[in-house]
Coordinates of all heavy atoms in Angstrom, one line a residue:
Q1 N 115.9 38.2 -92.4 CA 115.5 39.3 -91.7 C 116.4 40.5 -92.1 O 117.6 40.4 -92.4 CB 115.7 39.1 -90.2 CG 115.1 40.1 -89.3 CD 115.0 39.6 -87.9 OE1 115.6 38.6 -87.5 NE2 114.3 40.3 -87.0
T2 N 115.8 41.7 -92.2 CA 116.5 42.9 -92.7 C 117.2 43.6 -91.5 O 117.0 43.2 -90.3 CB 115.5 43.9 -93.3 OG1 114.6 44.4 -92.3 CG2 114.7 43.2 -94.4
A3 N 118.0 44.6 -91.8 CA 118.7 45.4 -90.8 C 117.7 46.1 -89.8 O 118.1 46.3 -88.7 CB 119.6 46.4 -91.5
T4 N 116.5 46.3 -90.3 CA 115.6 47.0 -89.4 C 114.8 46.0 -88.5 O 114.0 46.4 -87.7 CB 114.5 47.8 -90.2 OG1 113.8 46.8 -91.0 CG2 115.1 48.8 -91.1
G5 N 115.1 44.8 -88.6 CA 114.5 43.8 -87.8 C 113.2 43.2 -88.4 O 112.6 42.3 -87.8
R6 N 112.8 43.7 -89.5 CA 111.6 43.2 -90.2 C 112.0 42.0 -91.0 O 113.0 41.9 -91.6 CB 111.1 44.3 -91.2 CG 110.6 45.5 -90.5 CD 109.9 46.4 -91.5 NE 109.6 47.7 -90.8 CZ 109.6 48.9 -91.4 NH1 109.9 48.9 -92.7 NH2 109.3 49.9 -90.8
P7 N 111.1 41.0 -91.0 CA 111.3 39.8 -91.9 C 111.4 40.2 -93.3 O 110.6 41.0 -93.8 CB 110.1 38.9 -91.6 CG 109.4 39.5 -90.4 CD 109.8 40.9 -90.3
A8 N 112.3 39.6 -94.0 CA 112.5 39.9 -95.5 C 111.3 39.3 -96.2 O 110.8 38.2 -95.9 CB 113.8 39.4 -96.0
F9 N 110.9 39.9 -97.3 CA 109.8 39.4 -98.1 C 110.3 39.5 -99.5 O 110.1 40.5 -100.2 CB 108.5 40.1 -97.9 CG 107.3 39.5 -98.7 CD1 107.0 38.2 -98.6 CD2 106.5 40.3 -99.5 CE1 106.0 37.6 -99.3 CE2 105.5 39.8 -100.2 CZ 105.2 38.5 -100.1
N10 N 111.0 38.5 -100.0 CA 111.6 38.6 -101.3 C 110.6 37.8 -102.3 O 110.7 36.6 -102.4 CB 113.0 38.0 -101.3 CG 113.7 38.1 -102.6 OD1 113.2 38.9 -103.5 ND2 114.8 37.4 -102.8
N11 N 109.8 38.6 -102.9 CA 108.8 38.0 -103.8 C 108.7 38.9 -105.1 O 108.0 39.9 -105.0 CB 107.4 37.8 -103.1 CG 106.4 37.1 -104.0 OD1 106.3 37.4 -105.2 ND2 105.8 36.1 -103.4
T12 N 109.3 38.5 -106.1 CA 109.4 39.4 -107.3 C 108.0 39.6 -107.9 O 107.7 40.7 -108.3 CB 110.3 38.7 -108.4 OG1 111.6 38.6 -107.8 CG2 110.4 39.6 -109.6
A13 N 107.2 38.6 -108.0 CA 105.8 38.8 -108.5 C 105.0 39.8 -107.7 O 104.3 40.7 -108.3 CB 105.1 37.5 -108.6
F14 N 105.2 39.8 -106.4 CA 104.5 40.7 -105.5 C 105.0 42.1 -105.8 O 104.3 43.1 -105.9 CB 104.7 40.3 -104.1 CG 104.1 41.3 -103.1 CD1 102.8 41.1 -102.6 CD2 104.8 42.4 -102.6 CE1 102.2 42.0 -101.7 CE2 104.2 43.3 -101.7 CZ 102.9 43.1 -101.3
D15 N 106.4 42.3 -105.8 CA 107.0 43.6 -106.0 C 106.5 44.2 -107.3 O 106.2 45.3 -107.4 CB 108.5 43.5 -106.0 CG 109.1 43.1 -104.6 OD1 108.3 43.2 -103.6 OD2 110.2 42.7 -104.6
N16 N 106.5 43.3 -108.4 CA 106.1 43.8 -109.7 C 104.6 44.2 -109.7 O 104.2 45.2 -110.3 CB 106.4 42.8 -110.8 CG 107.9 42.6 -111.0 OD1 108.7 43.4 -110.6 ND2 108.2 41.5 -111.6
S17 N 103.8 43.4 -109.1 CA 102.4 43.7 -109.0 C 102.1 45.0 -108.3 O 101.4 45.9 -108.9 CB 101.7 42.6 -108.2 OG 100.3 42.9 -108.0
F18 N 102.8 45.3 -107.2 CA 102.7 46.6 -106.5 C 103.1 47.7 -107.4 O 102.3 48.7 -107.6 CB 103.4 46.5 -105.2 CG 103.3 47.7 -104.3 CD1 102.1 47.8 -103.6 CD2 104.2 48.7 -104.3 CE1 101.9 49.0 -102.7 CE2 104.0 49.8 -103.5 CZ 102.9 49.9 -102.7
S19 N 104.3 47.7 -107.9 CA 104.8 48.8 -108.6 C 104.2 49.0 -110.0 O 103.9 50.1 -110.4 CB 106.4 48.7 -108.8 OG 106.7 47.5 -109.6
E20 N 103.8 47.9 -110.7 CA 103.2 48.0 -112.0 C 101.8 48.5 -111.9 O 101.3 49.1 -112.9 CB 103.3 46.7 -112.7 CG 104.7 46.4 -113.2 CD 104.9 45.0 -113.7 OE1 103.8 44.3 -113.9 OE2 106.0 44.6 -114.0
S21 N 101.1 48.3 -110.8 CA 99.8 48.9 -110.6 C 99.8 50.4 -110.7 O 99.0 51.0 -111.4 CB 99.2 48.4 -109.3 OG 99.0 47.1 -109.3
F22 N 100.8 51.0 -110.1 CA 100.9 52.5 -110.1 C 101.4 52.9 -111.5 O 100.8 53.8 -112.1 CB 101.9 53.0 -109.1 CG 101.5 52.8 -107.7 CD1 102.0 51.8 -106.9 CD2 100.5 53.6 -107.2 CE1 101.5 51.6 -105.6 CE2 100.0 53.4 -105.9 CZ 100.6 52.4 -105.1
L23 N 102.3 52.2 -112.1 CA 102.8 52.5 -113.4 C 101.7 52.4 -114.5 O 101.5 53.3 -115.3 CB 104.0 51.6 -113.8 CG 104.6 51.8 -115.2 CD1 105.2 53.2 -115.2 CD2 105.7 50.8 -115.4
D24 N 100.9 51.3 -114.4 CA 99.8 51.1 -115.4 C 98.8 52.2 -115.2 O 98.2 52.7 -116.2 CB 99.2 49.7 -115.2 CG 100.1 48.6 -115.7 OD1 101.1 48.9 -116.5 OD2 99.9 47.5 -115.2
F25 N 98.5 52.6 -114.0 CA 97.6 53.7 -113.8 C 98.1 55.0 -114.4 O 97.4 55.8 -115.1 CB 97.2 53.9 -112.3 CG 96.2 55.0 -112.1 CD1 94.8 54.7 -112.4 CD2 96.5 56.2 -111.8 CE1 93.9 55.7 -112.2 CE2 95.6 57.2 -111.6 CZ 94.3 57.0 -111.8
A26 N 99.4 55.3 -114.2 CA 100.0 56.5 -114.7 C 100.0 56.5 -116.2 O 99.8 57.5 -116.9 CB 101.4 56.6 -114.1
M27 N 100.3 55.3 -116.8 CA 100.4 55.3 -118.3 C 99.1 55.2 -119.0 O 98.9 55.8 -120.0 CB 101.2 54.0 -118.7 CG 102.7 54.2 -118.3 SD 103.7 52.7 -118.5 CE 103.0 51.9 -120.0
F28 N 98.1 54.5 -118.4 CA 96.9 54.2 -119.1 C 95.6 54.7 -118.3 O 94.5 54.5 -118.8 CB 96.7 52.7 -119.3 CG 97.9 52.1 -120.0 CD1 98.7 51.2 -119.3 CD2 98.2 52.4 -121.3 CE1 99.8 50.6 -119.9 CE2 99.3 51.8 -121.9 CZ 100.1 50.9 -121.2
L29 N 95.8 55.3 -117.1 CA 94.7 55.7 -116.3 C 93.8 54.6 -115.9 O 92.6 54.7 -115.6 CB 93.9 56.9 -116.9 CG 94.7 58.1 -117.2 CD1 93.7 59.2 -117.8 CD2 95.3 58.7 -115.9
D30 N 94.4 53.4 -115.9 CA 93.7 52.1 -115.6 C 94.6 51.1 -115.2 O 95.4 50.6 -116.0 CB 92.9 51.7 -116.9 CG 92.1 50.5 -116.7 OD1 92.1 49.9 -115.6 OD2 91.4 50.1 -117.6
P31 N 94.6 50.7 -113.9 CA 95.5 49.6 -113.4 C 95.2 48.2 -114.0 O 96.0 47.3 -113.9 CB 95.4 49.6 -111.9 CG 94.0 50.2 -111.7 CD 93.7 51.1 -112.8
N32 N 94.1 48.1 -114.7 CA 93.7 46.8 -115.3 C 94.3 46.7 -116.7 O 94.3 45.6 -117.3 CB 92.2 46.7 -115.4 CG 91.6 46.6 -114.0 OD1 92.0 45.8 -113.2 ND2 90.7 47.5 -113.7
H33 N 94.8 47.8 -117.3 CA 95.5 47.8 -118.5 C 96.9 47.4 -118.2 O 97.7 48.3 -117.8 CB 95.4 49.1 -119.2 CG 95.9 49.1 -120.6 ND1 95.3 49.8 -121.6 CD2 97.1 48.6 -121.1 CE1 96.0 49.6 -122.7 NE2 97.1 48.9 -122.4
K34 N 97.3 46.2 -118.4 CA 98.6 45.7 -118.0 C 99.7 45.9 -119.0 O 99.6 45.4 -120.1 CB 98.5 44.2 -117.6 CG 97.4 43.8 -116.7 CD 97.8 44.0 -115.3 CE 96.8 43.3 -114.3 NZ 96.1 44.2 -113.5
S35 N 100.7 46.6 -118.6 CA 101.9 46.7 -119.5 C 102.7 45.5 -119.5 O 103.5 45.2 -120.4 CB 102.7 47.9 -119.1 OG 103.1 47.8 -117.7
D36 N 102.6 44.6 -118.4 CA 103.3 43.4 -118.3 C 102.2 42.3 -118.1 O 101.5 42.2 -117.1 CB 104.2 43.4 -117.1 CG 104.9 42.1 -116.8 OD1 104.7 41.1 -117.6 OD2 105.7 42.1 -115.8
P37 N 102.1 41.4 -119.1 CA 101.0 40.4 -119.0 C 101.2 39.4 -117.9 O 100.3 38.7 -117.5 CB 101.1 39.6 -120.4 CG 102.4 40.1 -121.0 CD 102.8 41.3 -120.4
S38 N 102.4 39.3 -117.3 CA 102.6 38.4 -116.1 C 102.3 39.1 -114.8 O 102.4 38.5 -113.7 CB 104.1 38.0 -116.1 OG 105.0 39.1 -115.8
N39 N 101.8 40.3 -114.8 CA 101.3 41.0 -113.6 C 100.2 40.3 -112.9 O 99.2 39.9 -113.5 CB 100.9 42.4 -114.0 CG 100.6 43.3 -112.8 OD1 100.1 42.8 -111.7 ND2 100.8 44.6 -112.9
I40 N 100.4 39.9 -111.6 CA 99.4 39.1 -110.9 C 98.3 39.9 -110.2 O 97.5 39.3 -109.5 CB 100.1 38.2 -109.9 CG1 100.9 39.0 -108.8 CG2 101.1 37.2 -110.6 CD1 101.4 38.2 -107.7
T41 N 98.3 41.2 -110.4 CA 97.2 42.0 -109.7 C 95.9 41.6 -110.3 O 95.7 41.6 -111.5 CB 97.5 43.5 -109.9 OG1 98.8 43.8 -109.5 CG2 96.5 44.3 -109.1
P42 N 94.9 41.3 -109.4 CA 93.6 40.9 -109.9 C 92.8 42.2 -110.4 O 93.3 43.3 -110.3 CB 92.9 40.4 -108.7 CG 93.6 40.9 -107.5 CD 95.0 41.2 -108.0
Q43 N 91.7 41.9 -111.0 CA 90.8 43.0 -111.5 C 90.6 44.1 -110.4 O 90.3 43.7 -109.3 CB 89.5 42.5 -111.9 CG 88.5 43.5 -112.4 CD 88.8 44.1 -113.7 OE1 89.5 43.6 -114.5 NE2 88.3 45.3 -113.9
W44 N 90.8 45.3 -110.8 CA 90.7 46.4 -109.8 C 89.6 47.3 -110.3 O 89.7 48.1 -111.2 CB 92.0 47.2 -109.8 CG 92.2 48.1 -108.6 CD1 91.3 48.8 -107.9 CD2 93.5 48.5 -108.1 NE1 91.8 49.5 -106.9 CE2 93.2 49.4 -107.0 CE3 94.8 48.2 -108.4 CZ2 94.2 50.0 -106.3 CZ3 95.8 48.8 -107.7 CH2 95.5 49.7 -106.6
D45 N 88.4 47.3 -109.6 CA 87.3 48.1 -110.0 C 87.5 49.6 -109.8 O 88.3 50.0 -109.0 CB 86.0 47.7 -109.2 CG 85.5 46.3 -109.5 OD1 85.9 45.8 -110.6 OD2 84.8 45.8 -108.7
V46 N 86.8 50.4 -110.6 CA 87.0 51.8 -110.5 C 86.5 52.3 -109.1 O 85.5 51.8 -108.6 CB 86.1 52.5 -111.6 CG1 86.1 54.0 -111.4 CG2 86.6 52.1 -112.9
W47 N 87.3 53.2 -108.5 CA 87.0 53.6 -107.1 C 85.6 54.2 -107.0 O 84.9 53.9 -106.0 CB 88.1 54.7 -106.7 CG 87.7 55.4 -105.4 CD1 87.1 56.6 -105.3 CD2 88.0 54.9 -104.1 NE1 86.9 56.9 -103.9 CE2 87.5 55.9 -103.2 CE3 88.6 53.8 -103.6 CZ2 87.6 55.7 -101.8 CZ3 88.7 53.7 -102.2 CH2 88.2 54.6 -101.4
A48 N 85.2 55.0 -107.9 CA 83.9 55.7 -107.9 C 82.8 54.7 -107.9 O 81.7 55.0 -107.4 CB 83.8 56.6 -109.0
D49 N 83.0 53.5 -108.4 CA 81.9 52.5 -108.4 C 81.6 51.9 -107.1 O 80.4 51.8 -106.7 CB 82.2 51.4 -109.4 CG 82.2 51.9 -110.9 OD1 81.7 53.0 -111.1 OD2 82.8 51.1 -111.7
N50 N 82.5 51.5 -106.3 CA 82.2 50.9 -105.0 C 83.3 51.1 -103.9 O 83.4 50.4 -103.0 CB 82.1 49.4 -105.1 CG 82.0 48.8 -106.4 OD1 81.8 49.5 -107.3 ND2 82.2 47.5 -106.5
S51 N 84.1 52.2 -104.0 CA 85.1 52.5 -103.0 C 86.1 51.3 -102.8 O 86.3 50.9 -101.7 CB 84.5 52.9 -101.7 OG 83.7 54.0 -101.9
V52 N 86.5 50.7 -103.9 CA 87.4 49.5 -103.8 C 88.8 49.9 -103.9 O 89.2 50.7 -104.8 CB 87.0 48.5 -104.9 CG1 88.0 47.4 -105.0 CG2 85.6 48.0 -104.8
E53 N 89.6 49.4 -103.0 CA 91.1 49.6 -103.0 C 91.7 48.2 -103.1 O 91.1 47.2 -102.9 CB 91.6 50.4 -101.8 CG 91.2 49.7 -100.5 CD 91.5 50.6 -99.3 OE1 92.7 50.8 -99.0 OE2 90.6 51.1 -98.7
M54 N 93.0 48.2 -103.4 CA 93.7 46.9 -103.5 C 94.6 46.7 -102.3 O 95.3 47.6 -101.9 CB 94.6 46.9 -104.8 CG 95.1 45.5 -105.2 SD 93.8 44.3 -105.6 CE 93.1 45.0 -107.0
L55 N 94.5 45.5 -101.7 CA 95.2 45.2 -100.5 C 96.4 44.4 -101.0 O 96.3 43.3 -101.6 CB 94.4 44.4 -99.6 CG 95.1 43.8 -98.3 CD1 95.6 44.9 -97.4 CD2 94.2 42.8 -97.6
F56 N 97.6 44.9 -100.7 CA 98.9 44.2 -101.0 C 99.4 43.7 -99.7 O 99.8 44.5 -98.9 CB 99.9 45.1 -101.7 CG 99.5 45.5 -103.1 CD1 98.7 46.6 -103.3 CD2 99.8 44.8 -104.2 CE1 98.3 47.0 -104.6 CE2 99.5 45.2 -105.5 CZ 98.7 46.3 -105.7
N57 N 99.4 42.4 -99.5 CA 99.8 41.8 -98.2 C 100.5 40.5 -98.5 O 100.7 40.1 -99.6 CB 98.6 41.6 -97.4 CG 98.8 41.7 -95.9 OD1 100.0 41.6 -95.5 ND2 97.8 41.8 -95.1
R58 N 100.8 39.8 -97.4 CA 101.4 38.5 -97.5 C 100.8 37.6 -96.4 O 100.4 38.1 -95.3 CB 102.9 38.5 -97.4 CG 103.5 38.8 -96.1 CD 105.0 38.7 -96.0 NE 105.4 39.1 -94.7 CZ 106.7 39.0 -94.4 NH1 107.6 38.6 -95.2 NH2 107.1 39.4 -93.2
T59 N 100.8 36.3 -96.6 CA 100.2 35.4 -95.7 C 101.3 35.0 -94.6 O 102.5 35.3 -94.8 CB 99.8 34.1 -96.4 OG1 100.9 33.4 -96.9 CG2 98.7 34.4 -97.4
V60 N 100.9 34.4 -93.6 CA 101.8 33.9 -92.5 C 102.9 33.0 -93.1 O 104.0 33.0 -92.7 CB 101.0 33.2 -91.4 CG1 102.0 32.6 -90.4 CG2 100.1 34.2 -90.7
S61 N 102.5 32.2 -94.1 CA 103.4 31.3 -94.7 C 104.3 31.9 -95.8 O 105.1 31.3 -96.4 CB 102.6 30.1 -95.4 OG 101.8 30.6 -96.4
G62 N 104.2 33.3 -96.0 CA 105.0 34.0 -96.9 C 104.6 34.1 -98.3 O 105.3 34.6 -99.2
E63 N 103.4 33.7 -98.6 CA 102.8 33.8 -100.0 C 102.2 35.2 -100.1 O 101.8 35.9 -99.2 CB 101.7 32.8 -100.2 CG 102.2 31.4 -100.1 CD 103.2 31.0 -101.1 OE1 103.1 31.4 -102.3 OE2 104.3 30.4 -100.8
S64 N 102.2 35.7 -101.4 CA 101.6 37.0 -101.6 C 100.1 36.9 -101.5 O 99.5 35.9 -101.8 CB 102.0 37.5 -103.0 OG 101.6 36.7 -104.0
A65 N 99.5 37.9 -101.0 CA 98.1 38.0 -100.9 C 97.7 39.4 -101.4 O 97.8 40.4 -100.8 CB 97.7 37.9 -99.4
I66 N 97.2 39.4 -102.7 CA 96.8 40.6 -103.3 C 95.3 40.5 -103.7 O 94.9 39.6 -104.4 CB 97.6 40.9 -104.6 CG1 99.1 40.8 -104.2 CG2 97.2 42.2 -105.3 CD1 100.0 40.8 -105.4
E67 N 94.5 41.4 -103.1 CA 93.0 41.2 -103.4 C 92.3 42.6 -103.2 O 92.7 43.4 -102.4 CB 92.4 40.2 -102.4 CG 92.7 40.6 -100.9 CD 92.3 39.4 -100.0 OE1 92.7 38.3 -100.3 OE2 91.6 39.7 -99.0
P68 N 91.3 42.7 -104.0 CA 90.5 44.0 -103.8 C 89.7 43.9 -102.5 O 89.3 42.8 -102.0 CB 89.5 44.0 -105.0 CG 89.5 42.5 -105.5 CD 90.8 41.9 -105.0
T69 N 89.5 45.1 -101.9 CA 88.8 45.2 -100.6 C 88.0 46.5 -100.6 O 88.5 47.5 -101.2 CB 89.7 45.1 -99.4 OG1 89.0 45.1 -98.2 CG2 90.8 46.2 -99.4
K70 N 86.9 46.5 -100.0 CA 86.1 47.7 -99.9 C 86.5 48.5 -98.8 O 86.7 48.0 -97.7 CB 84.6 47.3 -99.8 CG 83.7 48.5 -99.8 CD 82.3 48.1 -100.0 CE 81.3 49.3 -99.9 NZ 81.6 50.5 -100.6
T71 N 86.7 49.8 -99.0 CA 87.1 50.7 -97.9 C 86.0 50.9 -96.9 O 84.9 51.0 -97.3 CB 87.5 52.1 -98.5 OG1 88.5 51.9 -99.6 CG2 88.1 53.0 -97.5
S72 N 86.4 50.9 -95.7 CA 85.3 50.9 -94.6 C 84.6 52.3 -94.7 O 85.2 53.3 -94.9 CB 86.0 50.7 -93.2 OG 86.6 51.9 -92.8
E73 N 83.3 52.2 -94.4 CA 82.5 53.4 -94.4 C 83.0 54.4 -93.3 O 83.0 55.6 -93.6 CB 81.0 53.0 -94.1 CG 80.1 54.2 -94.3 CD 80.1 54.8 -95.7 OE1 80.2 54.0 -96.7 OE2 80.0 56.0 -95.8
S74 N 83.5 53.9 -92.2 CA 84.0 54.9 -91.1 C 85.2 55.6 -91.6 O 85.4 56.8 -91.3 CB 84.3 54.1 -89.8 OG 85.3 53.2 -90.0
L75 N 86.1 55.0 -92.4 CA 87.2 55.7 -92.9 C 86.8 56.7 -93.9 O 87.3 57.8 -93.9 CB 88.2 54.7 -93.5 CG 89.5 55.3 -94.2 CD1 90.3 56.1 -93.2 CD2 90.3 54.2 -94.8
L76 N 85.9 56.3 -94.8 CA 85.4 57.3 -95.8 C 84.8 58.5 -95.1 O 84.9 59.6 -95.6 CB 84.4 56.6 -96.7 CG 85.0 55.5 -97.6 CD1 83.9 54.8 -98.4 CD2 86.0 56.1 -98.6
Q77 N 84.1 58.3 -94.0 CA 83.4 59.4 -93.3 C 84.5 60.3 -92.7 O 84.4 61.6 -92.7 CB 82.5 58.9 -92.2 CG 81.2 58.3 -92.8 CD 80.4 57.7 -91.7 OE1 80.7 57.6 -90.5 NE2 79.2 57.1 -92.1
R78 N 85.6 59.7 -92.1 CA 86.7 60.5 -91.6 C 87.4 61.3 -92.7 O 87.7 62.5 -92.5 CB 87.7 59.7 -90.8 CG 87.1 59.1 -89.5 CD 88.2 58.5 -88.6 NE 89.0 57.5 -89.3 CZ 88.7 56.2 -89.3 NH1 87.5 55.8 -88.8 NH2 89.4 55.3 -89.9
C79 N 87.6 60.7 -93.8 CA 88.2 61.4 -94.9 C 87.3 62.6 -95.4 O 87.8 63.7 -95.7 CB 88.5 60.5 -96.1 SG 89.8 59.3 -95.7
S80 N 86.0 62.3 -95.5 CA 85.1 63.4 -95.9 C 85.1 64.5 -94.9 O 85.1 65.7 -95.3 CB 83.7 62.8 -96.0 OG 82.8 63.8 -96.4
F81 N 85.2 64.2 -93.6 CA 85.3 65.3 -92.6 C 86.5 66.2 -92.9 O 86.4 67.4 -92.9 CB 85.3 64.7 -91.2 CG 85.7 65.8 -90.2 CD1 84.7 66.7 -89.7 CD2 87.0 65.8 -89.7 CE1 85.1 67.6 -88.8 CE2 87.3 66.8 -88.7 CZ 86.4 67.7 -88.3
W82 N 87.7 65.5 -93.0 CA 88.9 66.3 -93.1 C 88.9 67.0 -94.5 O 89.5 68.2 -94.5 CB 90.1 65.4 -93.0 CG 90.3 65.0 -91.5 CD1 90.1 63.8 -91.0 CD2 90.6 65.9 -90.5 NE1 90.3 63.9 -89.6 CE2 90.6 65.1 -89.3 CE3 90.9 67.3 -90.4 CZ2 90.9 65.7 -88.0 CZ3 91.2 67.8 -89.1 CH2 91.2 67.0 -88.0
E83 N 88.3 66.5 -95.5 CA 88.2 67.2 -96.8 C 87.4 68.4 -96.6 O 87.7 69.5 -97.1 CB 87.7 66.3 -97.8 CG 87.6 66.9 -99.2 CD 87.0 66.0 -100.2 OE1 86.2 65.1 -99.9 OE2 87.5 66.1 -101.4
G84 N 86.3 68.3 -95.8 CA 85.4 69.4 -95.6 C 86.0 70.6 -94.8 O 85.6 71.7 -94.9
V85 N 86.9 70.3 -93.9 CA 87.6 71.3 -93.1 C 89.0 71.7 -93.6 O 89.7 72.5 -93.0 CB 87.7 70.9 -91.6 CG1 86.3 70.7 -91.0 CG2 88.5 69.7 -91.4
S86 N 89.4 71.2 -94.7 CA 90.7 71.4 -95.2 C 91.0 72.9 -95.5 O 92.1 73.4 -95.2 CB 91.0 70.6 -96.5 OG 90.1 71.0 -97.5
A87 N 90.0 73.6 -95.9 CA 90.2 75.1 -96.2 C 90.5 75.8 -94.9 O 91.2 76.9 -94.8 CB 89.1 75.7 -96.9
L88 N 90.0 75.3 -93.7 CA 90.2 75.9 -92.4 C 91.5 75.5 -91.7 O 91.9 76.1 -90.8 CB 89.0 75.6 -91.6 CG 87.6 75.9 -92.1 CD1 86.5 75.4 -91.3 CD2 87.5 77.4 -92.3
S89 N 92.1 74.4 -92.1 CA 93.2 73.8 -91.4 C 94.5 74.4 -91.9 O 95.5 74.2 -91.2 CB 93.2 72.3 -91.5 OG 93.5 71.9 -92.8
G90 N 94.6 75.0 -93.0 CA 95.8 75.6 -93.5 C 96.9 74.6 -93.8 O 98.1 75.0 -93.8
Q91 N 96.6 73.4 -94.2 CA 97.6 72.4 -94.6 C 97.6 72.2 -96.1 O 96.6 72.3 -96.7 CB 97.3 71.1 -93.9 CG 97.5 71.3 -92.4 CD 97.4 69.9 -91.7 OE1 97.3 68.9 -92.3 NE2 97.3 70.0 -90.4

């Protein structure tokens, strides 16, 4: 357990998968182009194709759970609303 009271999750493969996904996107504009062949992140479809995001999580038993998931339509609608009024909100 950490000082904040959260359970520790010490999983190097998970940590690398999470950080390398961003790094690979920054370097290659594609998180599927792996700079590290041991990266355990599964295939990540292009967002524009099906609104797919990657879920980085862990199971109750402490195993890493990394999987693509489709973003909910209701969330996409809320984002679209706020994008539409962004010029009026001054943020």
Side-chain angles (χ1 to χ4, degrees):
Q1 194 167 9
T2 66
T4 61
R6 295 184 187 151
F9 183 54
N10 186 12
N11 186 313
T12 302
F14 178 90
D15 294 344
N16 290 344
S17 174
F18 185 80
S19 62
E20 289 172 8
S21 294
F22 293 103
L23 182 61
D24 291 338
F25 183 79
M27 290 173 35
F28 307 113
L29 298 178
D30 183 355
N32 297 305
H33 185 138
K34 308 276 194 246
S35 57
D36 176 1
S38 69
N39 185 329
I40 63 172
T41 307
Q43 175 72 24
W44 194 334
D45 291 341
V46 176
W47 170 265
D49 291 346
N50 352 340
S51 304
V52 173
E53 56 189 289
M54 193 62 64
L55 174 66
F56 293 88
N57 206 346
R58 69 176 178 176
T59 65
V60 174
S61 64
E63 298 298 316
S64 62
I66 305 168
E67 57 191 45
T69 184
K70 184 163 175 49
T71 305
S72 76
E73 190 59 38
S74 61
L75 177 59
L76 293 173
Q77 288 174 358
R78 288 192 304 274
C79 290
S80 179
F81 168 79
W82 287 111
E83 183 179 32
V85 299
S86 64
L88 305 172
S89 67
Q91 294 182 11

